[in-house]
Amino acid sequence: MIPEDHPRYRSLQVREHLARCAAEGILSLEGLTAHGRGEAFDYLIGEKTMESALRAERAAAALLLCAERPVISVNGNTAALAAGSIALLQQASNAAVEVNLFHRTEERTRKITTLLERHGVTVLEGIPERLLPLSHDRALCLPRGIGSADVVLVPLEDGDRCQALVDVGKTVIAIDLNPLSRTAMTATLTIVDEVTRAIPQMTRFCRALAREEVHLCATGYENRELLRSAIREIQLRLDHALD
Ligand code: PTJ
């Protein structure tokens, strides 16, 4: 039982939820450590959406709206944290959703699919094939999904797979709290924000962007500049942390 007046109530509640998801086999154990790394960066960010992240979220929404075959790639952490928000982003963007795991097992894929469907997500199913230039099972994805997508949203992705997606010509939107990660540096567009804040913001932009704004937003960003701004915002916050 976490007391509601605990100053870190929400964070502790999320941890408890993730530990439960790990026990149920939805989250990988590695997913728990990945979450811890994310939490540390979120502290530095101030646990709120930075101005640079908001710009990235608007560009990301525009990229999804401009895409011919947008796909949201969902792993254990994303499903455990944001299943309901993914349903809303799918409705707003018309993107397909594919469960694509780093620690892939049939059983986890099935459990995560069931969780997402319970929250109203339509999940692509099919037989995965080795379509990415990676030497292990992480090359697997669905021919009708990520395999033929032009734009792929990858919340909390591994750097190698992000690079492989870029190498096969995908436009890759990453959500990653660490602006220095290989994923952040490799993606076409990086949102340095917590996934439960980033996905609702993207949904809001999908609904709010006027048709004539979409193309401009989808092309009018520079990822290096967004990453530099994110690091500057963190630096500025640290400079004043003890004031
Ligand atoms: O469910 P699976 O098997 O597909 O595995 C998922 C994980 C996340 C374990 C896997 O993709 C992995 O190992 O990822 P990495 O390489 O640890 O990268 C995860 C990145 O996400 C790190 O840079 C973290 O800082 C970041 N991160 C962690 N939690 C969040 C986050 N970013 C946004 N929101 C979060 N809540």
Side-chain angles (χ1 to χ4, degrees), residues 121-202:
V121 180
T122 303
V123 181
L124 270 182
E125 305 223 34
I127 299 168
E129 293 177 18
R130 282 178 191 282
L131 298 173
L132 298 181
L134 292 166
S135 58
H136 37 64
D137 275 359
R138 288 158 191 162
L140 291 168
C141 55
L142 293 177
R144 280 192 316 124
I146 292 172
S148 52
D150 50 352
V151 176
V152 188
L153 171 65
V154 288
L156 287 77
E157 185 55 278
D158 155 72
D160 246 23
R161 206 160 51 185
C162 182
Q163 181 71 62
L165 287 165
V166 170
D167 288 347
V168 295
K170 313 285 180 196
T171 295
V172 181
I173 306 165
I175 301 176
D176 195 323
L177 279 161
N178 177 1
L180 301 170
S181 75
R182 285 187 51 236
T183 299
M185 302 279 194
T186 311
T188 322
L189 171 64
T190 308
I191 298 169
V192 181
D193 202 1
E194 209 278 325
V195 68
T196 64
R197 296 194 298 267
I199 290 183
Q201 289 288 10
M202 287 176 66

Side-chain angles (χ1 to χ4, degrees), residues 27-39 77:
L27 202 79
S28 63
L29 285 181
E30 293 82 353
L32 288 174
T33 60
H35 180 75
R37 188 192 295 173
E39 272 192 324
N77 289 57

